[in-house]
Amino acid sequence: MYQHRDWQGALLEFPASKVVCVGNNYAEHIKEMGSVKAAEPLLFIKPETALCDLHQPIAIPTEFGMVHHEIELAILIGSPLKQASEERVVEAIAGYGVALDLTLRELQAGFISQGQPWEKAKGFDGSCPVSRFIPAAEFGDAQQAELKLVVNGEVRQQGNTRDMLTPIVPLIAYMSRFFTLRAGDIIITGTPPGVGPMLAGDQIEISLNGKLLTTRVI
């Protein structure tokens, strides 16, 4: 069962809870998906059962078509937020890590074409592998964070959080208008371009500001 940990692997006391996500938060990813920029952030939620440890092998479903990787900055919430100001958001951020928003791309495309919700394509069990968290006070400027994902030695995704269409703090304040965020909730903040399929046996390297972790797909 997933539990939040710090970057050294020590357990954090926050409970595992929901993941609040934003889609289409990088212009180049919108372009590669053939989408258009929305007037407001596009929000969706993954349940607690989507969470798993990115430091362990990633188990992907095989019966629903292609599973795509989407690397994202992950933010651990440390205190409740509801209708929060941006100043309050800054105070509530406990730490930063990196996550994969795994997506059943063929299912998602079908749902979009039929005007249906995405949950089955985005919120399935194990669809949010997440790293351990670096305390916010030790992280530096989260709006200048480098993300990179390498599959079998090939760089697939590389981006910087400065390119977000809606930056971190106003994004979380916006989320808190609709969803009360509780201690232990995770925010994932959108993906840069380069999304693509993952297959069993793939070797994965993920880096956040040069901090590297490796895993594999099973």
Side-chain angles (χ1 to χ4, degrees):
M1 187 171 67
Y2 171 84
Q3 293 178 283
H4 301 309
R5 295 179 182 270
D6 71 14
W7 200 261
Q8 283 69 44
L11 284 174
L12 298 173
E13 295 184 359
F14 303 112
S17 187
K18 66 183 178 291
V19 184
V20 185
C21 319
V22 61
N24 293 346
N25 203 24
Y26 288 78
E28 290 301 314
H29 176 59
I30 293 174
K31 186 183 300 182
E32 75 177 347
M33 299 305 295
S35 301
V36 295
K37 181 182 176 182
E40 295 187 5
L42 173 61
L43 305 183
F44 59 98
I45 287 179
K46 292 177 183 264
E48 176 195 345
T49 47
L51 288 166
C52 57
D53 187 347
L54 190 49
H55 296 254
Q56 301 297 320
I58 301 169
I60 58 172
T62 58
E63 65 269 36
F64 302 118
M66 287 187 298
V67 178
H68 276 203
H69 56 74
E70 299 187 7
I71 189 173
E72 312 203 5
L73 181 74
I75 300 165
L76 179 64
I77 299 299
S79 57
L81 294 171
K82 182 178 176 66
Q83 304 286 338
S85 67
E86 293 189 10
E87 292 77 13
R88 178 71 193 92
V89 168
V90 172
E91 294 170 354
I93 294 174
Y96 297 95
V98 64
L100 295 182
D101 171 13
L102 300 184
T103 303
L104 293 166
R105 191 66 74 198
E106 293 164 47
L107 282 188
Q108 185 193 34
F111 296 144
I112 290 171
S113 70
Q114 297 171 50
Q116 295 181 0
W118 298 353
E119 274 80 359
K120 287 182 283 187
K122 287 283 194 177
F124 59 92
D125 288 355
S127 63
C128 192
V130 65
S131 74
R132 295 154 188 179
F133 288 92
I134 301 164
E138 300 174 14
F139 189 78
D141 184 358
Q143 206 62 71
Q144 298 284 335
E146 287 282 344
L147 299 165
K148 184 165 74 169
L149 183 142
V150 178
V151 180
N152 300 327
E154 173 196 1
V155 177
R156 292 273 189 90
Q157 292 189 265
Q158 189 162 13
N160 191 291
T161 58
R162 64 173 170 260
D163 295 325
M164 288 180 181
L165 297 176
T166 304
I168 293 163
V169 173
L171 174 64
I172 297 174
Y174 178 82
M175 290 174 168
S176 80
R177 291 169 51 191
F178 301 93
F179 313 113
T180 297
L181 302 174
R182 294 180 169 150
D185 284 353
I186 291 174
I187 308 300
I188 60 175
T189 50
T191 194
V195 302
M198 302 172 69
L199 301 171
D202 282 349
Q203 301 297 310
I204 310 292
E205 297 178 8
I206 292 168
S207 64
L208 172 62
N209 281 346
K211 291 181 179 292
L212 181 68
L213 63 91
T214 61
T215 186
R216 61 191 175 89
V217 182
I218 58 173

